[in-house]
């Protein structure tokens, strides 16, 4: 398959488990980078809504109402990102657009690009009130679109569910049947490998994000943003009736 043909399919409307895994791998890496950049920059995880919700409760009891406000803002922003994804996706789906998934990925890429280029200029003490909503909105977009793409089988912005599923699959694989009259317990080795790869990519993204931010600041997000633009552009160009040259 040519490079152009692959780009037509990776974010296109016709999905396969292999394409879903490949796209999810990219998004897990991106999520790890975004999450670590948010934490190193403003000491706040922007994809971990379970932890944020617990933090809101803890800080409320401790009387740290500013942090409670930041936490609530992050949850609302994450929800808003997921809502935006649903609106954009369904708008494209009802019009039978090839870019029904790609348009959300393009929005995520453009948000990351603008943020990566401009965030360094904001040095105010309250900058987390800007950074946290933008990053959480972006993570909400991403988690919602991969949920749509995979039929709620894959998440990329957090690993709790994936690690739980890894444990379940390992448990199935090591289980020894002693009742031949019952259906055997069978593990899903390909699913286990996929989940493990996504967790490892999320961790790798965290390393890249933290090290990259310490080295060059928010500009570490620019390559990720451009990659999402590249991945999403072919279906969108097809919807616009633009013929692109095959780069191969």
């Amino acid at each position: 398959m040519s490079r152009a043909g692959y780009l037509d399919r990776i974010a296109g409307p016709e999905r396969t488990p292999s394409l879903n895994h490949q796209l999810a791998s990219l998004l897990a890496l991106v999520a790890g980078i975004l999450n670590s950049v948010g934490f190193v920059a403003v000491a706040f995880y922007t994809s971990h809504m379970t932890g944020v919700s617990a933090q809101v409760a803890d800080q409320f009891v401790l009387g740290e109402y500013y942090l409670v406000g930041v936490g609530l803002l992050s949850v609302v922003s994450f929800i808003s990102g997921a809502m935006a994804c649903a609106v954009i996706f369904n708008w494209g789906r009802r019009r039978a657009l090839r870019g029904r998934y790609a348009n959300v990925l393009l929005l995520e890429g453009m948000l990351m690009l603008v943020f990566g280029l401009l965030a360094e200029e904001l040095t105010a003490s309250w900058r987390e009130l800007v950074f946290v909503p933008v990053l959480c909105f972006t993570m909400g977009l991403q988690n919602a679109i991969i949920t749509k793409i995979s039929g709620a089988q894959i998440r990329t912005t957090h690993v709790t569910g994936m690690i739980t599923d890894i444990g379940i699959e390992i448990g199935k694989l090591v289980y020894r049947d002693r009742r031949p009259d019952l259906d055997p317990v069978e593990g899903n080795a390909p699913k286990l490998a996929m989940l493990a790869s996504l967790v490892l990519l999320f961790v790798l993204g965290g390393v890249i994000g933290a090290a990259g931010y310490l080295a060059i600041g928010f500009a570490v997000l620019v390559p990720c943003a451009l990659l999402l633009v590249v991945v999403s552009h072919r279906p969108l160009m097809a919807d616009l009736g633009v013929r692109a040259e095959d780069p191969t």
Side-chain angles (χ1 to χ4, degrees):
M1 182 188 299
S2 69
R3 190 184 312 169
Y6 180 74
L7 290 175
D8 282 332
R9 296 184 64 215
I10 186 64
E14 296 86 15
R15 308 306 307 170
T16 67
S18 177
L19 286 173
N20 290 346
H21 183 196
Q22 293 168 41
L23 184 58
S25 297
L26 169 62
L27 295 181
L29 183 71
V30 170
I33 293 172
L34 275 172
N35 198 46
S36 64
V37 167
F39 182 77
V40 176
V42 292
F44 206 92
Y45 287 122
T46 54
S47 70
H48 183 41
M49 292 299 105
T50 303
V52 169
S53 300
Q55 185 182 40
V56 167
D58 294 341
Q59 298 301 335
F60 180 80
V61 172
L62 295 173
E64 298 288 346
Y65 300 119
Y66 177 76
L67 294 177
V68 170
V70 175
L72 292 174
L73 182 61
S74 71
V75 172
V76 170
S77 300
F78 193 97
I79 293 172
S80 298
M83 289 172 56
C85 170
V87 171
I88 296 169
F89 167 78
N90 284 298
W91 179 85
R93 180 179 61 84
R94 292 175 70 88
R95 288 159 179 78
L97 299 180
R98 289 194 59 79
R100 67 192 70 168
Y101 301 119
N103 48 20
V104 178
L105 296 175
L106 178 66
L107 176 57
E108 179 182 354
M110 295 306 296
L111 283 172
M112 288 178 61
L113 181 61
V114 173
F115 187 80
L117 292 174
L118 299 181
E120 208 70 56
E121 303 302 318
L122 182 58
T123 58
S125 59
W126 44 265
R127 65 181 188 164
E128 64 268 14
L129 296 179
V130 176
F131 293 171
V132 168
V134 172
L135 294 174
C136 287
F137 181 90
T138 305
M139 287 290 89
L141 271 177
Q142 176 173 311
N143 202 44
I145 195 58
I146 197 61
T147 299
K148 288 284 188 184
I149 288 172
S150 68
Q153 297 299 307
I154 301 174
R155 300 288 195 274
T156 59
T157 62
H158 54 283
V159 301
T160 303
M162 289 190 287
I163 289 178
T164 301
D165 289 342
I166 286 172
I168 291 171
E169 293 303 327
I170 292 174
K172 290 179 180 178
L173 288 170
V174 302
Y175 185 82
R176 293 295 174 260
D177 291 300
R178 292 181 174 85
R179 292 285 304 273
D181 56 318
L182 299 177
D183 291 336
V185 175
E186 297 179 348
N188 188 332
K191 180 180 179 180
L192 177 60
M194 179 196 71
L195 292 168
S197 69
L198 294 179
V199 171
L200 289 174
L201 285 166
F202 186 91
V203 173
L204 176 61
V207 173
I208 294 172
Y213 177 79
L214 292 175
I216 61 174
F218 289 103
V220 69
L221 299 178
V222 172
C224 298
L226 294 176
L227 188 55
L228 287 176
V229 172
V230 169
V231 164
S232 62
H233 84 284
R234 294 281 302 193
L236 297 174
M237 291 175 70
D239 288 333
L240 293 172
V242 177
R243 296 182 61 86
E245 294 295 328
D246 190 329
T248 59

